[in-house]
Amino acid sequence: MACFCNNYLYLFRQIHHSIPTFIASPSRAFPSCLTTTFRVCNAQSWSTKPNPRSMSESVSASATSTGTFTWDDVVWSSDPETISDDPSDLNGYFEKIKICNRGADMRFEFIPFVIEDQIVGFIHKGFAEHLRKFQYVFEFLPDNGSRGARVTLNSSLKTPEDRTRALGEVVKSLGEQLIPGIRNELYPVTSSFGARAFFSLERAAAPYFGIKAYGVHMNGYVEKGGQKYLWIGKRSRAKATYPGMLDHLVAGGLPHGIACGENMVKECEEEAGIPRSISSSAIPVGAVSYMDIDGYRYKRDVLFCYDLKLPESFIPKNEDGEVESFKLIPVTHVANVIRRTYLFKPNCCLVIIDFLFRHGYILPECFGYLDLLQSLRSGDCSQVHP
Amino acid sequence: MACFCNNYLYLFRQIHHSIPTFIASPSRAFPSCLTTTFRVCNAQSWSTKPNPRSMSESVSASATSTGTFTWDDVVWSSDPETISDDPSDLNGYFEKIKICNRGADMRFEFIPFVIEDQIVGFIHKGFAEHLRKFQYVFEFLPDNGSRGARVTLNSSLKTPEDRTRALGEVVKSLGEQLIPGIRNELYPVTSSFGARAFFSLERAAAPYFGIKAYGVHMNGYVEKGGQKYLWIGKRSRAKATYPGMLDHLVAGGLPHGIACGENMVKECEEEAGIPRSISSSAIPVGAVSYMDIDGYRYKRDVLFCYDLKLPESFIPKNEDGEVESFKLIPVTHVANVIRRTYLFKPNCCLVIIDFLFRHGYILPECFGYLDLLQSLRSGDCSQVHP
């Protein structure tokens, strides 16, 4: 058994070393450079010990790279007994936070996007070149000695409606090649959360303009026999981003004009079939944040975290086709999946690590406790300054 | 009733404007400049509405300045119906965080205290002058162009034991006038939490050397009838610091050589008579931090936070004489006390605000949510770098 464990851990290392490739391409769940295989077990439930994996039972990297790993693989990788690693070693968590916070040293490649003297985003100098042709929309202010170069909107665009329309046309004109995955979903552009919106922008374009984006993520859990379990979703393989990967029970972006709590209730209904009578008990418990630079994209995301304690009898049911299936997994096992694998959509890891902290699954005695806690809010949470 | 409310709020403002005086002198619970009075009610329980206060029922500022306010005063100030303010206004919380994070603009008055090339603290230039006479203990390294001025230990002091002994003699020699409140309790001096101790230092001296100090604070709560209640302590009036003020059920510094969890169990027994069979269920839920400069003192504190859900039947009992009495208060009322008054020992406010976040008592819809959340860890939580 030991050699299987080592082989499996080796796989995780392999995946780890290839992360930038893996994450940079959201359509792939695993890096294409991954040529090793990983073993599948036939364990059917959390109460039984997973069977040892044989060399013949394997899934090719190409299968895993499209997110077609199975719940059995998740079960196997989560079990405390399959791999003899140290749960108090926080390195596996740090790695996941790192994935969401890449490219800090590339910040100098971006210039501030300013509206009414407030910085609302950051635009890559290369991407800015594509915007120069839209002279009726953008103004490029040169470095004047006291202030560096900036991009702003043409002064003729005064109202939020005018700006929203003009930017909408720009995004459409730039096309799918430059800004892939258009969703026709508008995000408010503000200097800080809760401030008035200067205009609204297509969700897929937000990182190209370095706009702060907000989301709501919910840990749905069940308590039975003194143990806590998390409901985990597996994303539909048809999804444009992170197909087939593990996800929260409920999560979604925060569009323009809807409050966090109301959005959470709406997403609960759509994503997991949770009626308002139950979802209204969801508790806001804080937020995590990250800053990720990848090519032209500068993600500055804040995720509002919610906990919802569900009745034992509740079975989630996806209503919008975005989730393939759900599984109830002991929290200690979920922690192992986070630490050991890259099966979760990356930003979910932050919200689950936050849950692990708040529910006492990570101890102050573990080396790195304070650093890990602090790193959950590596992004800009400021509401007053941009 | 309205005029009483306004009068009371005015008092809070008065207190607020005098905070630096109030906090700078730990032996006073209220600022000496406070000349107004505040009214006392006769409400005996949380289930009854507090009586309106009459002008004749008042406590003088001198009585409140020694922490001799009563539980009745706390009841009155906590009641949602006595003062018609807005619970979603977070300003009262921000004020309490500000009290723990003063003097950031005075950092330039301090020079790094360096051991084995690691910054372990910061010493005020004025205080450093008092150390110059101890030539066999300290070395003063001048600004050499590439590195600024620093204080280090004499190279003859190689072992932790030698350093601890030498520093102990210095602290004793400087005397109570310069370093008041000697406790004969040693704190480890490290570059970061969990790293090996370079030496140990008298607890009262830690802020004069800008040493990071760690503590454990526990929110002990009860759930009944779907509502959460917090057990709040009132500090003994004989305490050297913050006499008579409100406090957590259990809290204490983290001395050398004891793990957080073990220290928590020990403090539970001593401070609230909570047996290990109950206290072992306390859950570590994160940490808060602050940095406070006050004259020669540079506090860099990290408090590890714990939650303990107590049985309804449990009644705390102080064993070490440090607590005058305890009271079980609805969490929503505790939130009001934090927002409206300065009756709590300041750093307890941070830990309780963290509790309010994690238990859903502060909503993302409140303006300033993210800033407030972020400000709970304004201190240096880093474990790798100083």
Side-chain angles (χ1 to χ4, degrees):
Chain A
M1 192 57 191
C3 81
F4 296 135
C5 297
N6 289 338
N7 208 332
Y8 202 63
L9 277 174
Y10 172 74
L11 170 82
F12 296 140
R13 295 297 142 196
Q14 281 291 93
I15 295 170
H16 167 52
H17 290 149
S18 318
I19 287 307
T21 320
F22 155 42
I23 296 297
S25 170
S27 63
R28 288 202 306 275
F30 285 94
S32 58
C33 59
L34 182 65
T35 53
T36 184
T37 56
F38 92 95
R39 285 152 244 309
V40 179
C41 76
N42 299 314
Q44 292 307 312
S45 97
W46 297 105
S47 57
T48 61
K49 191 175 163 182
N51 300 332
R53 297 181 168 207
S54 78
M55 292 299 281
S56 61
E57 294 171 307
S58 65
V59 178
S60 71
S62 64
T64 58
S65 74
T66 49
T68 52
F69 62 85
T70 66
W71 282 115
D72 279 353
D73 301 325
V74 178
V75 170
W76 192 85
S77 68
S78 75
D79 197 275
E81 294 183 30
T82 50
I83 300 168
S84 58
D85 59 355
D86 177 8
S88 73
D89 177 354
L90 307 183
N91 280 316
Y93 299 130
F94 277 112
E95 286 165 2
K96 306 311 173 298
I97 287 168
K98 213 169 158 185
I99 291 170
C100 295
N101 290 282
R102 297 167 304 162
D105 50 343
M106 295 298 161
R107 283 190 203 177
F108 70 92
E109 293 183 1
F110 291 76
I111 46 178
F113 181 28
V114 176
I115 313 282
E116 296 176 18
D117 275 336
Q118 306 266 336
I119 297 177
V120 296
F122 295 91
I123 301 176
H124 191 277
K125 290 171 188 169
F127 186 75
E129 288 308 310
H130 294 280
L131 305 180
R132 282 191 187 275
K133 63 181 169 190
F134 303 99
Q135 289 174 10
Y136 60 97
V137 181
F138 299 102
E139 275 181 36
F140 289 78
L141 307 173
D143 186 337
N144 64 5
S146 64
R147 294 178 79 174
R150 286 159 293 150
V151 180
T152 187
L153 291 182
N154 190 298
S155 56
S156 67
L157 299 169
K158 289 200 190 324
T159 69
E161 294 73 22
D162 287 348
R163 293 163 178 168
T164 301
R165 197 179 313 112
L167 265 293
E169 284 162 14
V170 168
V171 170
K172 200 173 162 189
S173 170
L174 290 174
E176 276 281 334
Q177 262 202 316
L178 209 57
I179 303 176
I182 302 287
R183 295 165 173 241
N184 296 315
E185 192 178 323
L186 290 176
Y187 265 17
V189 175
T190 64
S191 60
S192 60
F193 185 70
R196 89 186 151 88
F198 293 120
F199 63 95
S200 297
L201 182 69
E202 159 60 34
R203 178 174 172 172
Y208 293 90
F209 290 88
I211 303 301
K212 274 193 188 178
Y214 301 89
V216 289
H217 277 235
M218 196 188 75
N219 284 299
Y221 71 101
V222 169
E223 226 170 334
K224 49 181 178 179
Q227 201 181 1
K228 283 178 185 152
Y229 296 71
L230 275 167
W231 273 110
I232 300 297
K234 194 168 183 303
R235 293 163 71 86
S236 156
R237 289 177 209 179
K239 283 207 63 124
T241 55
Y242 309 105
M245 294 192 80
L246 301 183
D247 204 339
H248 276 110
L249 177 59
V250 173
L254 193 63
H256 186 44
I258 183 165
C260 281
E262 195 47 45
N263 194 40
M264 180 46 75
V265 167
K266 185 178 84 61
E267 295 281 354
C268 276
E269 183 70 46
E270 291 172 7
E271 295 207 341
I274 306 172
R276 185 180 284 264
S277 58
I278 294 179
S279 64
S280 59
S281 306
I283 291 171
V285 290
V288 298
S289 64
Y290 52 96
M291 276 196 186
D292 189 64
I293 292 177
D294 172 29
Y296 284 172
R297 301 190 306 159
Y298 193 156
K299 292 192 85 170
R300 301 194 301 145
D301 290 359
V302 176
L303 309 178
F304 293 98
C305 307
Y306 286 76
D307 279 1
L308 176 59
K309 189 175 176 181
L310 289 155
E312 270 190 60
S313 58
F314 177 77
I315 306 288
K317 184 174 173 297
N318 180 244
E319 311 271 354
D320 62 5
E322 297 199 356
V323 186
E324 186 185 280
S325 54
F326 295 100
K327 196 165 183 74
L328 191 64
I329 307 182
V331 174
T332 49
H333 292 222
V334 175
N336 287 340
V337 177
I338 299 276
R339 279 196 309 110
R340 295 168 174 175
T341 82
Y342 292 85
L343 304 180
F344 268 97
K345 177 170 175 276
N347 66 1
C348 296
C349 295
L350 272 70
V351 182
I352 294 177
I353 294 170
D354 179 71
F355 181 92
L356 298 175
F357 267 109
R358 290 182 294 97
H359 290 260
Y361 290 90
I362 299 178
L363 304 181
E365 286 79 4
C366 300
F367 184 74
Y369 182 86
L370 292 173
D371 269 338
L372 186 67
L373 183 68
Q374 195 84 332
S375 67
L376 291 175
R377 297 207 272 276
S378 300
D380 179 7
C381 271
S382 166
Q383 291 187 266
V384 180
H385 310 289
Chain B
M1 188 63 194
C3 82
F4 297 135
C5 296
N6 289 339
N7 209 334
Y8 202 62
L9 277 172
Y10 173 74
L11 170 82
F12 296 139
R13 294 298 142 196
Q14 282 292 92
I15 294 169
H16 167 50
H17 289 150
S18 318
I19 286 309
T21 319
F22 155 42
I23 295 298
S25 170
S27 64
R28 287 204 307 274
F30 284 94
S32 59
C33 59
L34 182 64
T35 53
T36 184
T37 55
F38 92 96
R39 288 150 241 309
V40 180
C41 77
N42 298 315
Q44 293 306 315
S45 96
W46 297 104
S47 57
T48 62
K49 190 175 165 183
N51 299 331
R53 298 182 167 205
S54 79
M55 291 300 279
S56 60
E57 295 172 306
S58 63
V59 178
S60 70
S62 63
T64 57
S65 72
T66 49
T68 52
F69 61 86
T70 65
W71 282 116
D72 279 352
D73 301 324
V74 179
V75 170
W76 192 86
S77 67
S78 75
D79 196 276
E81 294 184 31
T82 50
I83 301 169
S84 58
D85 59 355
D86 176 7
S88 73
D89 177 355
L90 307 183
N91 280 316
Y93 300 130
F94 276 113
E95 286 165 3
K96 306 314 173 298
I97 288 169
K98 214 170 159 186
I99 291 171
C100 295
N101 291 280
R102 296 168 305 162
D105 51 343
M106 295 298 161
R107 283 192 202 174
F108 70 92
E109 293 182 1
F110 290 76
I111 47 178
F113 181 29
V114 175
I115 313 283
E116 295 176 17
D117 276 333
Q118 307 266 333
I119 297 177
V120 297
F122 295 92
I123 301 176
H124 191 278
K125 288 171 187 169
F127 185 75
E129 289 307 310
H130 293 280
L131 304 179
R132 282 193 187 272
K133 64 181 169 189
F134 303 98
Q135 288 174 13
Y136 61 97
V137 181
F138 299 102
E139 275 181 35
F140 288 79
L141 307 172
D143 186 337
N144 63 5
S146 63
R147 296 178 78 173
R150 284 159 294 149
V151 180
T152 187
L153 292 182
N154 190 300
S155 56
S156 67
L157 299 169
K158 289 201 191 322
T159 68
E161 294 74 20
D162 287 348
R163 293 164 176 167
T164 300
R165 197 179 313 112
L167 266 292
E169 284 165 14
V170 168
V171 170
K172 200 172 161 189
S173 171
L174 290 173
E176 275 282 333
Q177 261 203 318
L178 209 57
I179 303 176
I182 303 288
R183 295 164 172 242
N184 295 315
E185 193 179 321
L186 291 176
Y187 265 17
V189 175
T190 64
S191 59
S192 60
F193 185 70
R196 91 186 148 88
F198 293 120
F199 63 95
S200 298
L201 183 68
E202 159 61 32
R203 178 173 174 175
Y208 293 90
F209 290 87
I211 302 302
K212 274 193 187 177
Y214 301 89
V216 289
H217 276 234
M218 195 186 77
N219 284 299
Y221 71 102
V222 170
E223 227 171 333
K224 49 181 179 179
Q227 199 181 3
K228 284 178 186 152
Y229 295 72
L230 275 166
W231 273 110
I232 301 298
K234 193 167 185 303
R235 294 162 72 85
S236 158
R237 289 177 208 178
K239 285 210 59 130
T241 55
Y242 309 106
M245 294 191 80
L246 302 183
D247 204 338
H248 275 109
L249 177 59
V250 173
L254 193 62
H256 186 44
I258 183 165
C260 281
E262 194 48 44
N263 194 39
M264 181 46 76
V265 168
K266 184 177 85 60
E267 295 280 355
C268 276
E269 182 70 46
E270 291 171 7
E271 294 207 341
I274 306 172
R276 183 180 286 265
S277 58
I278 294 179
S279 64
S280 58
S281 306
I283 291 172
V285 289
V288 298
S289 64
Y290 52 95
M291 276 197 187
D292 189 65
I293 292 177
D294 172 29
Y296 285 173
R297 302 190 307 161
Y298 193 156
K299 291 193 86 169
R300 301 195 300 145
D301 291 359
V302 176
L303 308 179
F304 294 97
C305 308
Y306 286 75
D307 278 2
L308 175 60
K309 189 175 176 182
L310 288 155
E312 271 190 60
S313 58
F314 178 77
I315 306 288
K317 184 175 173 296
N318 178 245
E319 311 269 354
D320 61 6
E322 297 199 355
V323 187
E324 186 185 279
S325 55
F326 296 100
K327 195 163 184 77
L328 191 64
I329 307 181
V331 173
T332 50
H333 292 223
V334 174
N336 287 340
V337 177
I338 299 276
R339 278 195 310 110
R340 296 168 174 176
T341 81
Y342 292 85
L343 303 180
F344 268 98
K345 178 171 174 271
N347 67 0
C348 297
C349 296
L350 272 71
V351 181
I352 293 177
I353 295 170
D354 179 71
F355 182 93
L356 297 176
F357 267 109
R358 290 182 293 98
H359 290 260
Y361 290 90
I362 299 177
L363 304 180
E365 286 79 3
C366 300
F367 183 74
Y369 182 86
L370 292 174
D371 269 338
L372 186 67
L373 184 67
Q374 195 84 331
S375 68
L376 291 176
R377 297 207 271 276
S378 300
D380 178 8
C381 269
S382 166
Q383 292 187 268
V384 180
H385 308 288

